[in-house]
Amino acid sequence: MATDLLRWYTLASGARLVVERMPGTRSCAAVWMLPVGTASDPEGDAGEGEATVLSELILRGAAGKSSRDISDAFDALGAQRHGAAAVHHTMLSTLCMGERIEEAMRLLSLVVRQPHLDADALESVRAIALQALNGLEDEPQHLAGVRLREFAMPAPFNRSGYGTVAGLQSLTQDKIRAAWSRRARPGGTVIGMAGDIEPERARDMMERLLEGWSGSTEDPVETRPALRGSHLVQLDTQQTHLAIGFDAPPDRDADAHAHRVAIRILGGASSSRLFTEVREKRGLCYSVGASSALGRDRGLVQVYAGSTHERAPRTLECIMHELERFEQGITADEFRDALVGAKAGLIMSGESSSARAATIASQLWRLGEAMDLAQSAAEFDRLTLAGVNEYIARDMGAAWRAGRTQVTVAPRLVG
Amino acid sequence: MATDLLRWYTLASGARLVVERMPGTRSCAAVWMLPVGTASDPEGDAGEGEATVLSELILRGAAGKSSRDISDAFDALGAQRHGAAAVHHTMLSTLCMGERIEEAMRLLSLVVRQPHLDADALESVRAIALQALNGLEDEPQHLAGVRLREFAMPAPFNRSGYGTVAGLQSLTQDKIRAAWSRRARPGGTVIGMAGDIEPERARDMMERLLEGWSGSTEDPVETRPALRGSHLVQLDTQQTHLAIGFDAPPDRDADAHAHRVAIRILGGASSSRLFTEVREKRGLCYSVGASSALGRDRGLVQVYAGSTHERAPRTLECIMHELERFEQGITADEFRDALVGAKAGLIMSGESSSARAATIASQLWRLGEAMDLAQSAAEFDRLTLAGVNEYIARDMGAAWRAGRTQVTVAPRLVG
């Protein structure tokens, strides 16, 4: 629900803007979500990795300014900036003092609307993207998460953005220029701003900066269901890295908050069941936990554990035992503490302008509306112990566990 | 300099406390720095790793409360908490809403003053610490930094805290109980609190909680100068991970801020010389950068780059070329932008209560005083371009480069 401090708008271009003024905050953060996500990349060797290359390449010169000029201009504002490709969007973000945000947004608008996409810069960015892909095996924990997503999500929403070697090599200047021109459109764009900024001023500023920008791009559609199953990524690691994926509801689902509370108790905090049983009591592994990402249309629970090869079978057994036990529900104490923790976490992360800008932009995209901290906290207060336990009994039972996806990064398979 | 909002005290026990009230902030963060650092661990197989084990073990039950009780009590407050061992201190930190901070500090004080240090919990924590040590090879970038510190710093200040297998295995319950009792003393302890908290209230609260706590522990002394040199950590990695270390002044040095500005320009931001020349222009590697850690008595500059094996020699060459060129000094534009960026960064990180609590506690320990954001910004404003260039010419020249330490994590040595 919009308030005096939190407002959203559909701009003349069709782009949506959500702004939250944070009294007492001197910084201002912005997140510009462009509909250039990895899920809309050409498939595999036809150009997968395009969004990742574009997310860096657009910052390498725009509107007659060289890469160096752009970089210097952000520096002169004391503005941090970052580009990265996610499944549905390329996220451009900036953080600076409130009095500099208009200039920073002007620079970002040049980057979005008039990037040079030069051939030389493409070669450099391609070389870097190939190295990132090549270097994945040096981060086996991260690799387990990347592969889990590939198997646990339907295509093309299962992409990590690293692309393929042939896909990255297939990108030509003509191809990427055409892609940016086709994909980077106001329809599907959401901009979030939070901190030392008035909503109406932000709207007027963005209307000016986006004048004449038009068009929209198509939402990607599912081309193949999730493969699921159990997979070994054979690698000569010191530890066995286990990543297990389970279904989760989309964020707009009526059960989204019950799900969040359940996952928090299962594996989200240092007193969670997985942490206590697998790590603390048995010392089976250094890291273990569960987290949940609830997207607009689908979600994914990820359980991760890293243990010695020798302890890996017992670690897996212990995790599965906790998941079975979880079906019987949570206690009143667990429920009460999880609500306190979730609400305190909301308020504490709500003190960061960057976190707020990202949250309200995502909410507007996923839910069609944004919530201030009090409204978000109220969503948790609406829950009851019986309601969460009903959700768990219905949606986190044997069928849920049976539909899991497992990725093991290790020299050999566990169990 | 103390202000109405920022004050520090020496408590009756001898522990020091620094508190900053942050108007408009509802959270409160605390960092409790205990003089139980890795540098004071018994050497090598005699018990290295003790501080790391203790930093987790103390949270596993205290003052008649089980590990579960402690965990539940923090949860009921919605308080996050964390323990970790650094070179000079074990850092216990907590973050919660301001109205809960007194209860959270009461729990931490039980953990500090009356930990159970049970035999069962020791076995579990030891198993986890051994796994962390064993798992280092699965994180080659991190491993390069750990090994660099070992070679680039004098002993015992060169320790990462992972300990040794024999050192971890040598820890008995008697030994760790004696160690905690001897080492965890108010002399050498610094507590930082920031957020929704009044300095005087914090002082009264901590006086009550620490009543009867006494004693002090000896500061570790240097036992061996830095080994320096060039070292290969032979590992079957996909990328070559290069970590290069150089001397840096201690934080109390008159040149500390000139040094910070220099390193920011050399490799601290996405428009730094290393980032621009090595990554952007040449696409030699995915990650490259320089950072500097200025401690109480000594500092360390770390340059890191990860590239393909094939490009590693050119990456190293390009880094060394930039270091040579750097000796000629920075430009007026670079100087101006670095000051803007450093000051904006100060204010933006200053909006986080956790960051402020950690910063003011470290300042009190390293400098004997804490600074608010305006005072910290003024330190940068005191610099001149000529002054920074004088510092660079004097302290970042050929002798500085020649004294470097290099660690390569790769299948074979570069160059």
Side-chain angles (χ1 to χ4, degrees), chain B residues 36 54 123 126 148 187-188 190 203 265 300 313 326 328 356:
Chain B
V36 186
L54 283 168
E123 288 320 311
R126 187 205 314 276
L148 179 67
V190 176
R203 182 200 55 191
I265 293 166
L300 178 65
F326 198 69
Q328 290 148 38
R356 283 305 291 162

Side-chain angles (χ1 to χ4, degrees), chain B residues 1 5 12 45-46 50 66 90 97-98 117 126 132 154 180 196 245 254 258 314 326 329 332 351 365 367 408-409 411:
Chain B
M1 204 175 68
L5 298 176
D45 298 351
E50 184 180 89
S66 70
T90 282
M97 301 300 290
L117 307 174
R126 187 205 314 276
W180 189 255
D196 178 21
R314 275 178 60 211
F326 198 69
E351 291 175 352
W365 185 71
L367 307 171
T408 308
V409 178

Side-chain angles (χ1 to χ4, degrees), chain B residues 3-64:
Chain B
T3 69
D4 282 355
L5 298 176
L6 173 67
R7 301 216 159 261
W8 55 93
Y9 312 93
T10 300
L11 304 176
S13 59
R16 282 178 297 169
L17 170 70
V18 55
V19 188
E20 184 171 55
R21 189 165 86 77
M22 298 167 63
T25 300
R26 294 173 61 192
S27 67
C28 184
V31 177
W32 193 323
M33 297 168 64
L34 285 152
V36 186
T38 60
S40 313
D41 278 356
E43 195 174 341
D45 298 351
E48 211 175 307
E50 184 180 89
T52 297
V53 166
L54 283 168
S55 71
E56 175 154 356
L57 194 56
I58 53 173
L59 286 159
R60 301 282 192 101

Side-chain angles (χ1 to χ4, degrees), chain A residues 69-328:
Chain A
D69 292 341
I70 296 275
S71 198
D72 287 348
F74 277 112
D75 277 3
L77 301 174
Q80 300 168 17
R81 65 281 182 190
H82 185 65
V87 174
H88 287 279
H89 297 96
T90 282
M91 321 286 267
L92 284 176
S93 49
T94 190
L95 172 63
C96 59
M97 301 300 291
E99 66 259 28
R100 299 305 185 92
I101 191 66
E102 181 154 6
E103 292 160 89
M105 292 308 276
R106 197 180 60 80
L107 283 170
L108 280 190
S109 72
L110 299 180
V111 160
V112 167
R113 299 185 61 188
Q114 305 174 57
H116 293 170
L117 307 174
D118 277 341
D120 281 0
L122 172 61
E123 288 321 310
S124 159
V125 172
R126 187 205 315 276
I128 290 165
L130 285 165
Q131 292 201 44
L133 177 60
N134 176 60
L136 264 179
E137 291 190 359
D138 282 357
E139 297 172 81
Q141 174 172 352
H142 178 61
L143 178 62
V146 166
R147 293 284 174 265
L148 179 66
R149 190 173 180 89
E150 276 176 30
F151 292 117
M153 299 290 273
F157 307 105
N158 62 342
R159 295 176 180 171
S160 61
Y162 286 92
T164 66
V165 172
L168 290 167
Q169 276 165 346
S170 79
L171 300 174
T172 61
Q173 189 183 26
D174 287 350
K175 217 164 129 175
I176 54 149
R177 285 187 168 177
W180 189 255
S181 164
R182 187 182 69 249
R183 299 175 68 182
R185 292 291 160 189
T189 288
V190 176
I191 300 166
M193 299 175 73
D196 178 20
I197 179 83
E198 289 290 344
E200 311 242 309
R201 206 191 116 225
R203 183 200 54 192
D204 295 347
M205 171 201 313
M206 293 313 299
E207 285 288 19
R208 275 196 307 279
L209 292 174
L210 302 188
E211 208 185 319
W213 197 33
S214 67
S216 64
T217 187
E218 268 173 47
D219 233 21
V221 292
E222 184 176 320
T223 55
R224 177 178 61 63
L227 293 175
R228 305 184 190 259
S230 181
H231 307 266
L232 172 68
V233 178
Q234 197 167 19
L235 209 62
D236 187 21
T237 53
Q238 282 293 313
Q239 301 250 311
T240 292
H241 302 270
L242 288 169
I244 316 175
F246 300 86
D247 288 336
D251 197 7
R252 61 181 167 208
D253 193 286
D255 289 322
H257 280 78
H259 174 85
R260 286 194 172 95
V261 165
I263 294 299
R264 186 179 179 91
I265 293 167
L266 176 65
S270 57
S271 54
S272 71
R273 292 198 185 178
L274 288 177
F275 197 86
T276 305
E277 297 298 325
V278 182
R279 185 184 193 277
E280 280 210 7
K281 286 201 193 156
R282 294 179 185 77
L284 285 169
C285 56
Y286 184 75
S287 328
V288 63
S291 63
S292 194
L294 308 190
R296 186 189 58 175
D297 305 315
R298 57 191 70 74
L300 178 66
V301 174
Q302 292 203 40
V303 173
Y304 168 80
S307 73
T308 61
H309 304 318
E310 186 207 344
R311 286 164 198 247
R314 275 179 61 212
T315 300
L316 181 58
E317 204 178 281
C318 187
I319 290 171
M320 291 313 297
H321 176 75
E322 283 308 313
L323 286 166
E324 278 159 38
R325 195 168 70 89
F326 198 68
E327 189 182 344
Q328 289 148 38

